[in-house]
Amino acid sequence: TTLFRSIMSCVDGVGEYKIMPIVSVIVPVYNVEQYISRCIDSLIGQSFTNIEIILIDDGSTDASGIICDTYAHNDKRIKLQHVKNAGVSTARNVALEMAKGDYIAFVDADDWLEVGFIENSIHTIRKYNADILLGNYYLDFMNGKSRCALNVQQEYIMNSIEAVEKLFVMRGKEKHIPWSVWGKLYRKEILDIFDVNYSMGEDAIWLWNVLKKAKTIIYNPFSGYHYFQRNTSVMHRQTVKHILDDKRMYQYFYQDRYCLHSDKIASYFEDRYFAAKVTTVIRLFLNGGGGCIFKTNLKDFLDNIFRCFVSEWKLHSLKGMLKIIVALGCVVLPEKFYTVMSSSRGLHEDNRIC
């Protein structure tokens, strides 16, 4: 049991007794020499000390790996693995194989934690015997400003359907808990490996699959995670692969939409997948088409839009036309089309896919 594991000890090669770590903190590291010390300092300074810190240096070409070496030498709770660059999902999978804790937390290497984050999170998740804890967090900006992301200041319990609706369907209706894996705490036994075939959307797909297996999810209003928004991060870059992976992500959700037996969730992903197909064509056009998708001229642009419309909505007539206009607006004028897509079903959501 978790209680037994938390109190049992193991003997190392020199006969010293060590307490098994309760929480494994996983940090993928790639070219973050400016920020990695702040991140690691916040981990080793946690008020809850029964943790292991797993650093995966994903083939960094700057001084990140050297910095990690120094920390690993000075703190035995740190496990460091240098690997060939293969992406964040592969790095996380390597760390999951190494993890010994009953609970897992993910931290991005340019983010950092308040001193009581782990202590507060482990107390709350055990209090409710939950499988997943979803935490509040701070948004830190490059200009030095910071703000709390969510206004909800009370704990509440959810099952898997309620949590999926909160994280996915309610996007755009209110300030929402992000799809990202960070800022949360997970019971290790319910976790899956990450799909390494995605460069965008891997967090959302992984979280979706984990939420499906969870019985109890708790929201914790404590703001202990600092998410640092950098303009050079992956989320701020647009490539053809990122755009296509975005559509593939919604295709994945669409194909799995009935797994929780919720019509509300299924309807949501039907609309999102349609929007993703339309906006993919638009984004590729605005992005120059990648040189190999299609030529950047108006005829090809309209042909692709028309083909998408005919193949998916030829039986829906006016409704399909309305959604085409809405999807176009979400790309061309995203602020004006902030909550749209399912007016006929009474749903409003964040369609700012691009």
Side-chain angles (χ1 to χ4, degrees):
T1 66
T2 299
L3 178 60
F4 177 75
R5 287 197 60 197
S6 67
I7 61 175
M8 69 177 292
S9 299
C10 61
V11 183
D12 68 9
V14 294
E16 293 182 354
Y17 285 87
K18 295 182 178 180
I19 301 297
M20 291 290 286
I22 294 177
V23 180
S24 299
V25 184
I26 292 174
V27 186
V29 179
Y30 181 71
N31 289 356
V32 284
E33 61 183 2
Q34 291 179 273
Y35 312 105
I36 186 61
S37 291
R38 179 181 64 181
C39 177
I40 299 175
D41 285 339
S42 76
L43 300 180
I44 62 179
Q46 286 294 299
S47 58
F48 186 88
T49 59
N50 193 5
I51 65 175
E52 65 175 355
I53 302 164
I54 304 177
L55 307 177
I56 306 298
D57 173 28
D58 188 27
S60 296
T61 58
D62 64 1
S64 297
I66 298 173
I67 295 171
C68 291
D69 283 331
T70 302
Y71 277 99
H73 178 75
N74 294 329
D75 193 319
K76 299 306 180 184
R77 296 176 299 170
I78 296 177
K79 296 179 174 63
L80 171 62
Q81 186 83 18
H82 297 281
V83 298
K84 183 179 179 181
N85 179 249
V88 65
S89 292
T90 298
R92 287 170 176 161
N93 288 339
V94 170
L96 284 171
E97 287 291 325
M98 297 169 58
K100 303 298 183 184
D102 293 303
Y103 298 92
I104 304 291
F106 296 95
V107 178
D108 285 354
D110 52 355
D111 299 340
W112 60 282
L113 305 182
E114 295 280 349
V115 67
F117 175 79
I118 299 296
E119 181 176 12
N120 186 282
S121 298
I122 197 69
H123 170 77
T124 305
I125 201 171
R126 285 178 155 182
K127 174 183 174 182
Y128 294 98
N129 193 27
D131 297 308
I132 303 174
L133 176 140
L134 311 174
N136 204 343
Y137 62 103
Y138 284 102
L139 288 166
D140 292 355
F141 302 95
M142 296 190 71
N143 61 7
K145 294 183 179 180
S146 179
R147 64 176 175 84
C148 186
L150 306 175
N151 296 325
V152 181
Q153 296 301 318
Q154 68 272 357
E155 296 174 349
Y156 57 87
I157 301 173
M158 298 166 278
N159 59 31
S160 58
I161 293 178
E162 292 167 335
V164 167
E165 289 180 354
K166 192 72 174 178
L167 270 70
F168 290 83
V169 180
M170 299 299 289
R171 288 173 65 85
K173 264 195 169 182
E174 57 189 49
K175 292 182 179 179
H176 55 269
I177 302 168
W179 291 349
S180 304
V181 302
W182 49 258
K184 303 168 178 66
L185 189 65
Y186 310 88
R187 194 189 301 273
K188 184 185 178 184
E189 62 195 43
I190 70 166
L191 300 189
D192 292 323
I193 63 171
F194 287 81
D195 191 330
V196 300
N197 297 310
Y198 289 81
S199 60
M200 288 286 285
E202 69 274 16
D203 280 22
I205 290 173
W206 183 87
L207 189 58
W208 162 264
N209 287 318
V210 170
L211 285 170
K212 288 190 303 183
K213 296 194 295 183
K215 294 181 179 179
T216 304
I217 301 100
I218 180 69
Y219 167 76
N220 182 11
F222 177 72
S223 303
Y225 191 101
H226 286 259
Y227 171 60
F228 184 55
Q229 292 196 314
R230 290 189 294 146
N231 294 333
T232 56
S233 67
V234 172
M235 293 301 295
H236 288 87
R237 296 197 300 268
Q238 285 286 297
T239 68
V240 171
K241 179 168 173 47
H242 289 152
I243 293 170
L244 294 177
D245 277 355
D246 201 33
K247 182 179 81 76
R248 288 176 57 220
M249 176 187 71
Y250 284 109
Q251 182 178 8
Y252 183 97
F253 293 144
Y254 173 78
Q255 292 171 342
D256 202 28
R257 65 192 184 281
Y258 284 112
C259 68
L260 292 174
H261 309 288
S262 166
D263 290 337
K264 185 177 183 179
I265 293 172
S267 297
Y268 169 82
F269 283 121
E270 287 170 3
D271 285 338
R272 287 304 298 238
Y273 181 43
F274 167 78
K277 287 190 289 186
V278 174
T279 53
T280 294
V281 175
I282 300 169
R283 291 165 66 192
L284 288 172
F285 175 77
L286 297 176
N287 196 56
C292 61
I293 305 298
F294 54 83
K295 295 180 180 179
T296 56
N297 60 62
L298 185 60
K299 181 180 181 301
D300 286 333
F301 173 66
L302 294 176
D303 282 349
N304 278 274
I305 291 291
F306 181 73
R307 194 177 300 117
C308 178
F309 173 79
V310 171
S311 63
E312 295 298 322
W313 293 93
K314 60 184 178 181
L315 299 178
H316 291 67
S317 184
L318 183 61
K319 182 179 179 180
M321 183 65 73
L322 176 62
K323 291 193 175 187
I324 285 281
I325 295 171
V326 167
L328 285 166
C330 290
V331 174
V332 179
L333 296 170
E335 297 303 323
K336 299 294 184 182
F337 292 85
Y338 183 76
T339 53
V340 284
M341 273 304 290
S342 298
S343 56
S344 62
R345 293 192 178 103
L347 294 178
H348 299 277
E349 34 134 31
D350 184 357
N351 261 302
R352 292 177 294 178
I353 303 173
C354 51

